[in-house]
Amino acid sequence: MTIESWPAHHAQLGPLTIRRALPVRQRRMVGPWCFLDRYGPLTFQAGKPMDVAPHPHMGLQTVSWLLDGEVLHRDSLGFESLIVAGELNVMTSGRAIAHSEETPGRSSGVLNGVQLWVALPDAVRNSDPAFNHYHDLPVIESRDGSATVIMGALEGVHSPALSFSPMIGAQLSIVRGGELWLDLNRRFEHALFVLDGSATLEGEQLSPDILYYLAPDRAELSLSSPDNARILLLGGTPFEERILMWWNFVARTHDEIERARSEWQTGTRFGEVKGYAGARIDAPALTGRAAPPNPAS
Ligand code: MN
């Protein structure tokens, strides 16, 4: 079965260089997943390699997942939450929320993780915002590796995290020399993204920082690794609604984006993030029309 692949592109997030694997020009979404930033691994002696000042979101969930290190989240609902590797922060923006994310004052001096967004279906995208932290996620263990279920469900094992459409987000770990088999939901499209180590998907070598896309109607997956690879598996039923993404917003129309931008600038909608030392992020200028929807749907 053919596997499509696209390289992540580099972008700057404050002081942090990230690799953005979603959206790419050829692929805007995988299931409801519409954004994937990979950062680290990096080490530091002082300062804050992650320092994203208060900014707004609407129409999406942010899914924060670390492989190493710590990130401190604060939001306009008043939540302050430190995540460490293996724990999960999910922020459901609904119609409006603002947050900041930064390396905490006391940290282990390493940073390694991913930042993901899930588009909310129309029926819930204007709901009240929410924030949830999850300490423990279910793990599917096998002889040759494991799968931590971050969002949605895999092989009948469900993440406790709040979600609103059929999806999977999982971290797969393969032991050295192992071959990990997983049953997939045939209705889902999937993507694989190598986090560390090297892996082979049914004979094809997978490289880091490349998004590998697997079309629907695939019943299983077999991954091998010579060296303890960790891989992110994303998927879901192809998102039927046409979305528009601009800056930190997921919307349906250009007018919604224009209004959200203006209501962030005037401070009338997204609330205030307390406790962050510094100024909030101004919205960029909105020129022309917002980005086109997923060309594949
Ligand atoms: Mn954000």
Side-chain angles (χ1 to χ4, degrees), residues 46-66:
K48 299 197 284 185
M50 178 169 287
D51 190 7
V52 187
H55 59 279
H57 285 290
M58 73 168 179
L60 58 84
Q61 291 180 292
T62 63
V63 176
S64 302
W65 179 253
L66 290 174

Side-chain angles (χ1 to χ4, degrees), residues 12 97 113 121 136 170 172 188 206 216 223 248 251 289:
Q12 207 60 33
I97 198 167
D136 292 304
L172 314 179
F188 285 9
L206 307 181
L223 290 160
N248 299 307
R289 307 298 292 178

Side-chain angles (χ1 to χ4, degrees), residues 124-139:
V124 296
R125 71 190 181 94
N126 291 307
S127 61
D128 290 340
F131 175 82
N132 297 92
H133 177 92
Y134 302 94
H135 286 279
D136 292 304
L137 296 170
V139 180

Side-chain angles (χ1 to χ4, degrees), residues 244-246 253-259 261 284-292:
L244 285 180
M245 271 178 71
W246 181 81
T253 69
H254 183 82
D255 286 353
E256 284 175 43
I257 286 173
E258 215 161 35
R259 191 163 62 247
R261 182 193 179 280
L286 180 52
T287 53
R289 307 298 292 178

Side-chain angles (χ1 to χ4, degrees), residues 183-199:
D183 292 332
L184 298 180
N185 184 328
R186 295 185 80 119
R187 293 188 304 277
F188 285 9
E189 55 184 358
H190 292 91
L192 293 168
F193 187 81
V194 175
L195 298 167
D196 51 32
S198 57

